[in-house]
Each structure stands twice: as C-alpha cells, then as structure tokens.
Amino acid sequence: MEEESEAGAETELLSEWQQRCAEEVPLADFYQRMSEQGLEYGSSFQSLRRLWRGAGECLGQIELNPELERELSQYELHPALLDGCLHVLAGLLPEAGKETSTPYLPVRLAGLKIWGRPTRQLWSHARLQEAGGSQGQAWLSAQLDLLDSQGRLIAQLLGLRLQQVDRAVVAEGRKEEKQKSNDWLYEVAWRQRSLVKGKGSALDEPGNWLFL
C-alpha cells in the first residue's frame, strides 16, 4: 500500500510539472544551434524529443535511439539518456533560442542518486536553484529529477552547476582533442635495409632463428 501511495504521488508530481511548464520550446534546429556553438552530438546522443518551460523550471521528454536499446542493461543510466536529460537545462538559460547564445558546460555535480533503471523513455525536470556571474561569465546551478515513462522517480542530480564558456575556448578544445586522437592509432611500416654481412658473421653459421 505504501509503494502504491508513493507511485501515485510521483505521478501527480509529473502532472504538476506539466501544468507549470506550459510553454513549449521549439526544437527543430536545437542540435544545429548547439553544433554552431561548438557542441556537436551524433544522432545517437540527440535524445531530447520535446521541451517545455515555466518560471525557473523546465521539463523535457527524452527517448533513446532504438539502435541503443540493447545497451540499456549495461548501464545504471545510459550515457545517451543522461546527455538528453542534461540538454533539458537549455530551457533555463537566459539566452535560450538565440543565435548569439554562448555555450554552457557542466563543471560540477554535488551528488547523484539512482533508485532504478530507466527504459527507452524518460522525463527530465530541471529546477533552477541559483544563478550568478564572475569575470564576465554567467553560471547557474540546478537540480534534475528523472522519471521513467510511468512517472516514477528513478534518479536525481543535485547541485549541478553550468558555466558559460567562450566559443573560441570550445573550438580550441575540439582542435586539441582531434590532434590527440591522431596519435591513438599506429600503422606498421616496413622499410627496406641493405644486409650488412661481415667476416665471421653469425649469419654464416647454421642454427635456429626467431623472427619478431
């Protein structure tokens, strides 16, 4: 009876969030704008389907790419789902939807609680806790509540802080990462050398040889 009561309360919570977050944010070019800011996400990580916002909060509908569904059991919280839940935070940004907006990146997390594993679909609710700025860069902190498709609370991200960064810094970071990745793979190249054979060389003597 107690579990049924808790489940009912969580479902009501989702309903309240939906009522308060009534303004839908267009997502037609959402990931294109992120790419222009230097934050590129492949199709597997573009899991934010719909986004609504209210006063100091927003609610997003997340859905994992069907091709990744078989990987769900390998994680407590699949990285692609987690990324989509974080993308909901875009609804809290003061420059959200503007072409001139600058990127924000997560820089700190105070705590993470997980009570259950999600399915392909999730609800992600973000609530603004505080915001400020220093040295010309804005920041904000928020709490994320993640609910499964039935409205059950399965995870919380506490004290998540986002920091505004310059686009040039993001671009430089991507450039350095690409240069590093060029060193990850090595190719074997055989080079021809002339055989130096001197008097009394061991090559003249019979025996066993091991080539490496």
Side-chain angles (χ1 to χ4, degrees):
M1 182 70 74
E2 183 177 348
E3 290 183 358
E4 293 180 358
S5 176
E6 291 178 355
E10 291 167 353
T11 303
E12 290 178 4
L13 188 59
L14 175 59
S15 179
E16 291 177 6
W17 291 340
Q18 290 173 323
Q19 292 177 15
R20 295 203 303 261
C21 300
E23 177 191 355
E24 185 162 8
V25 180
L27 296 180
D29 58 348
F30 177 78
Y31 285 104
Q32 176 61 33
R33 293 200 307 271
M34 295 188 76
S35 178
E36 292 171 355
Q37 294 175 7
L39 305 175
E40 294 190 7
Y41 294 90
S43 58
S44 296
F45 282 79
Q46 297 181 14
S47 54
L48 178 60
R49 297 292 177 259
R50 299 182 71 180
L51 178 63
W52 299 266
R53 64 183 168 191
E57 61 182 329
C58 51
L59 179 67
Q61 190 175 38
I62 316 300
E63 184 174 0
L64 187 68
N65 189 312
E67 297 178 357
L68 300 179
E69 187 172 4
R70 64 183 183 276
E71 301 178 3
L72 278 172
S73 61
Q74 302 175 22
Y75 302 91
E76 292 295 329
L77 186 57
H78 195 285
L81 278 177
L82 179 58
D83 251 12
C85 292
L86 293 176
H87 296 165
V88 170
L89 292 162
L92 297 179
L93 302 181
E95 299 177 335
K98 298 181 181 180
E99 295 182 359
T100 57
S101 62
T102 53
Y104 283 71
L105 294 178
V107 295
R108 187 174 65 195
L109 178 64
L112 171 64
K113 297 180 180 180
I114 298 179
W115 292 281
R117 285 184 174 178
T119 55
R120 279 186 56 224
Q121 296 179 330
L122 275 180
W123 292 96
S124 176
H125 175 260
R127 179 171 57 86
L128 181 66
Q129 294 178 315
E130 58 179 330
S134 60
Q135 299 180 351
Q137 293 182 326
W139 60 266
L140 62 85
S141 63
Q143 175 175 317
L144 277 180
D145 294 299
L146 312 185
L147 281 67
D148 66 12
S149 57
Q150 303 302 315
R152 293 184 293 258
L153 183 65
I154 61 169
Q156 282 185 332
L157 283 75
L158 308 172
L160 177 63
R161 176 162 173 158
L162 299 182
Q163 179 76 48
Q164 189 180 38
V165 296
D166 190 272
R167 292 191 188 190
V169 174
V170 176
E172 184 63 26
R174 289 179 55 199
K175 181 179 179 181
E176 291 180 1
E177 191 63 31
K178 184 176 181 180
Q179 291 174 342
K180 290 179 181 178
S181 66
N182 292 333
D183 297 331
W184 291 349
L185 302 177
Y186 293 87
E187 179 181 352
V188 177
W190 295 96
R191 298 181 181 179
Q192 186 175 359
R193 291 287 187 271
S194 57
L195 181 63
V196 179
K197 187 176 180 181
K199 184 178 179 180
S201 171
L203 296 176
D204 294 329
E205 302 176 1
N208 298 321
W209 292 89
L210 175 64
F211 292 93
L212 301 178

